[in-house]
Amino acid sequence: MRFTALFPFLCAVAAFVLSLLCIFAGSKRGFLENADILTLNTSMFGEILLNSSSSSSFLSTIAGDIKGDVNGVINDVAKELNIHDFYSAYILDYCEGYYTPTAVSNKTEHPSKNVTNCSNHTALFHFDPTAILQSELRTGINLSELHWPSEIKDAVTAIEVASKAMFVCYCIGAAFAGLAFLGAIFGLLSGSRLSSFLNFFLDLVAFLALGIASAISTAIATKVVNAVHKFGTDIGITAYKGKVFMGMTWAATALMLLASLAWIFECCLGRKKQTSYMKEGKTGRR
């Protein structure tokens, strides 16, 4: 048994688990809800009614009828519009909900997510906040009446192909990470250089797939968040990248890189031992 092969085995197991968690995060309420790729915060979306006029008689009625403090007005407008406080994007779906106890942080209270619903799991899922919000808005209201920036829709549309490629890469990465830890078991029990080369190949493919997937997910989150910050601030929406998800996906990538390097070391170690045995054999024959 090669105990030196235990390290790449543990790396492969950890990477396999992390990659699966990345894929299935947010697949149901209560399961890794904080491991989102990005979150769109629409809790302040109603603020536009306080700062500008609207051609919609329905919106004008809301703005004129709702009384109270600023936060209360915003929350009431959001409820009248039938939209949620946040929309979190994951690999397979998105989840929506409200901030509790309040959407606005103050000295005594800090908002936390309360997920109320998640969409159905979909392979090659593409998060489209424009379509989601439009589908949830009260009948008779259009996003264009709320000055929803077309630039946000354009940014999301531009990454649709990348979103699908990301899903494929995560599946390949997770599959090869699984094969890698199974191959590492064989490598633990076998001292052959062939097993080391095989494991190196499996780990390398897993590393490349997870690395590409991680890079794509980071680029997607960055592009959408930047677009929202640039064009959505005026209408009261913000967005932020999921730190937990980013930590998980890049950790899985790093682990597969370490496993690959470890198997290279095993190959070199095996060759060194083989050369040593050959020299000892020649010396013995003399």
Side-chain angles (χ1 to χ4, degrees), residues 23 59 91 129 140 245 265:
I23 293 173
L59 295 179
I91 293 179
F245 177 87
F265 172 77

Side-chain angles (χ1 to χ4, degrees), residues 12 14 42 51 65 74 76 93 104 122 127 154 172 175 195-196 286:
T42 55
N51 302 323
D65 291 346
I74 293 172
D76 286 342
D93 63 348
V104 181
T122 306
F127 180 63
D154 294 340
I172 295 174
S195 65
S196 297
R286 290 179 183 176

Side-chain angles (χ1 to χ4, degrees), residues 36-187:
D36 54 277
I37 299 175
L38 65 95
T39 291
L40 183 71
N41 184 342
T42 55
S43 61
M44 304 292 286
F45 194 21
E47 188 176 3
I48 187 176
L49 297 177
L50 303 177
N51 302 323
S52 64
S53 59
S54 173
S55 59
S56 170
S57 60
F58 174 73
L59 295 179
S60 299
T61 301
I62 294 177
D65 291 346
I66 297 177
K67 306 297 180 181
D69 61 274
V70 173
N71 292 339
V73 172
I74 293 172
N75 290 335
D76 286 342
V77 170
K79 290 179 181 178
E80 289 292 334
L81 292 175
N82 199 36
I83 62 175
H84 292 79
D85 286 346
F86 67 85
Y87 299 84
S88 295
Y90 303 91
I91 293 179
L92 294 177
D93 63 348
Y94 75 90
C95 293
E96 58 191 12
Y98 301 95
Y99 290 111
T100 57
T102 175
V104 181
S105 179
N106 53 50
K107 293 182 179 180
T108 59
E109 297 177 325
H110 298 281
S112 60
K113 285 183 178 180
N114 178 30
V115 175
T116 58
N117 179 61
C118 292
S119 65
N120 295 329
H121 307 165
T122 306
L124 305 176
F125 170 73
H126 173 58
F127 180 63
D128 186 353
T130 302
I132 294 170
L133 286 172
Q134 184 59 62
S135 67
E136 293 190 348
L137 280 175
R138 188 166 175 173
T139 304
I141 302 298
N142 193 286
L143 277 178
S144 60
E145 296 178 280
L146 301 175
H147 306 285
W148 182 263
S150 60
E151 290 84 356
I152 294 179
K153 180 176 176 60
D154 294 340
V156 172
T157 301
I159 61 173
E160 183 174 358
V161 175
S163 297
K164 296 178 180 180
M166 175 188 69
F167 171 77
V168 173
C169 288
Y170 270 115
C171 290
I172 295 174
F176 272 87
L179 292 174
F181 92 75
L182 292 177
I185 296 176
F186 174 69

Side-chain angles (χ1 to χ4, degrees), residues 7-18:
F7 174 73
F9 166 74
L10 294 176
C11 287
V13 172
F16 176 64
V17 173
L18 286 173

